[in-house]
Amino acid sequence: MTNRAMNNLWNYIQGLSLSARNKKWLAERLQESSQNTTKRTKKDETLMSEEEFFAEVDEAREQINRGEGISFTNLDDMNAWLNSL
């Protein structure tokens, strides 16, 4: 939400002439909602941005160019190597 939209929302809420009890209730609901959202949106550490992905690809290509890559002549050797990790 933009700052302007947030300010408009704030002005609207102020214009409602809420009682102290209503303000407390609203604040509690907002806080609960924020806590529930935080709990539901655990960050998946395996995800990366497009920029991070292509940076990893570029780094891998540089490693191959430096002779640091691993190549396999058959699928069994590759699977054996992967299983050893």
Side-chain angles (χ1 to χ4, degrees):
M1 188 176 252
T2 66
N3 282 342
R4 184 176 186 169
M6 290 293 290
N7 285 328
N8 288 339
L9 177 60
W10 177 244
N11 289 332
Y12 172 77
I13 291 171
Q14 284 182 311
L16 294 175
S17 302
L18 298 174
S19 67
R21 182 178 176 196
N22 292 149
K23 289 177 183 178
K24 183 178 179 186
W25 179 90
L26 181 58
E28 288 170 355
R29 298 296 87 69
L30 288 169
Q31 188 67 33
E32 286 172 6
S33 175
S34 174
Q35 289 170 352
N36 289 340
T37 300
T38 302
K39 290 177 186 174
R40 285 187 305 224
T41 57
K42 293 180 182 175
K43 183 173 179 181
D44 183 346
E45 295 180 12
T46 64
L47 295 179
M48 65 179 76
S49 68
E50 182 177 353
E51 184 177 279
E52 292 169 323
F53 173 78
F54 284 111
E56 296 256 342
V57 169
D58 290 341
E59 175 61 26
R61 287 181 174 154
E62 289 174 17
Q63 288 175 333
I64 290 170
N65 289 338
R66 292 191 304 260
E68 298 172 2
I70 299 172
S71 62
F72 302 95
T73 56
N74 64 57
L75 187 60
D76 291 333
D77 289 345
M78 182 188 73
N79 284 327
W81 179 80
L82 288 170
N83 290 331
S84 72
L85 298 178

